[in-house]
Amino acid sequence: MRIAGTTVLLTGATGGIGQTLARAFAAKGANLLLTGRREEVLRPLAERLGGRGIVADLAERSDVERLVEEAADARIVIANAALPSSGPVLDYRPEELDRALDVNLRAPILLSRLMAPRMVEAGSGHLVMIGSLSGRTASPGAALYNAAKFGLRGFALGLRQDLHGTGVGVSLVQPGFVGDAGMFADAGTSLPTGVRTISSRRVAAATIRAIERNRAEVNVAPLELRLGSAIGGLFPSIAERAQRGAGAGETSRQLADGQREKR
């Protein structure tokens, strides 16, 4: 699909990866509709990039519905917003479970359900889900995050088949560890020795490529992580042992601690 001149709705625009996505799509000539909760970040970003900012909390169904009405002319939707949700599930209160699943899974599903009919009617459009390699292989201290990303992967790939032949594409972009933005950078978490990261610019480039080429799934990570996630998805017991040996549990604890401090 052609991006230049097309209206793009980007959720989670105020986060580090979201801001990189916004700049990349502005450079491609998109008409930007940016949304996020932090108005003090959203408004200046939208102004700099010549777009429009729409403040919304995706944990609130009414905000999602309002967003759809305000972004009715968008023909590309990038569901990038996500809440960090690391740490043992037993540490989460029920309302925290609900909020994490609402933002990370229900909101992209509802947004797609409400935006897709207009795209189908127009015979053109593209929906992008920004997932994670955590949607392919589970890891310690990430059960809640895994649940949302596994679900997002299933939804995106299933919806893609449902919309085949309508002119509306669906893509799933799954980054590995992002070094300069996102939850690991925000929490100041150090990764195990030898684990390579990618940049948020690579995530943005992969997202653009997914839209322009109508790719079903794009995994953005060094080769060893892409292979590891594929093997882990097929053989979870092997992945479990390998992660324990690599110190994944300690990394998860650091990440959860860093996220807890920022709540």
Side-chain angles (χ1 to χ4, degrees), residues 92-166:
Y92 279 80
R93 298 189 303 274
E95 59 269 24
E96 291 176 325
L97 294 175
D98 287 343
R99 183 169 179 81
L101 291 173
D102 282 348
V103 174
N104 295 354
L105 183 58
R106 183 183 62 79
I109 292 175
L110 181 58
L111 193 61
S112 300
R113 168 62 185 86
L114 296 176
M115 293 294 294
R118 293 165 178 168
M119 298 180 184
V120 171
E121 185 177 357
S124 177
H126 208 98
L127 300 163
V128 182
M129 314 294 159
I130 304 296
S132 167
L133 289 187
S134 293
R136 291 169 63 86
T137 304
S139 53
L144 183 56
Y145 192 70
N146 288 141
K149 295 306 183 182
F150 268 70
L152 191 63
R153 182 172 188 253
F155 173 72
L157 297 179
L159 181 63
R160 179 182 172 88
Q161 296 196 47
D162 288 349
L163 295 180
H164 178 73
T166 66

Side-chain angles (χ1 to χ4, degrees), residues 25-219:
F25 277 85
K28 292 288 290 186
N31 302 317
L32 291 179
L33 297 175
L34 307 178
T35 184
R37 288 185 299 150
R38 296 184 293 161
E39 184 172 9
E40 73 280 6
V41 179
L42 183 66
R43 300 297 187 198
L45 177 67
E47 270 187 33
R48 285 198 304 273
L49 298 178
R52 181 160 69 94
I54 305 171
V55 179
D57 182 350
L58 298 188
E60 300 293 333
R61 183 170 300 186
S62 59
D63 272 21
V64 177
E65 293 170 347
R66 174 176 56 82
L67 178 62
V68 168
E69 291 306 312
E70 293 195 42
D73 58 342
R75 289 296 171 262
I76 296 174
V77 175
I78 305 169
N80 168 67
L83 281 181
S85 47
S86 298
V89 171
L90 300 185
D91 290 349
Y92 279 80
R93 298 189 303 274
E95 59 269 24
E96 291 176 325
L97 294 175
D98 287 343
R99 183 169 179 81
L101 291 173
D102 282 348
V103 174
N104 295 354
L105 183 58
R106 183 183 62 79
I109 292 175
L110 181 58
L111 193 61
S112 300
R113 168 62 185 86
L114 296 176
M115 293 294 294
R118 293 165 178 168
M119 298 180 184
V120 171
E121 185 177 357
S124 177
H126 208 98
L127 300 163
V128 182
M129 314 294 159
I130 304 296
S132 167
L133 289 187
S134 293
R136 291 169 63 86
T137 304
S139 53
L144 183 56
Y145 192 70
N146 288 141
K149 295 306 183 182
F150 268 70
L152 191 63
R153 182 172 188 253
F155 173 72
L157 297 179
L159 181 63
R160 179 182 172 88
Q161 296 196 47
D162 288 349
L163 295 180
H164 178 73
T166 66
V168 181
V170 182
S171 297
L172 175 69
V173 176
Q174 299 188 123
F177 300 111
V178 180
D180 63 334
M183 61 183 184
F184 284 92
D186 291 344
T189 304
S190 57
L191 296 173
T193 303
V195 174
R196 295 193 293 159
T197 64
I198 56 167
S199 69
S200 57
R201 291 178 64 184
R202 278 190 61 185
V203 178
T207 303
I208 289 170
R209 187 167 67 251
I211 294 168
E212 291 179 335
R213 301 180 186 178
N214 192 22
R215 297 281 299 276
E217 181 176 273
V218 181
N219 299 311

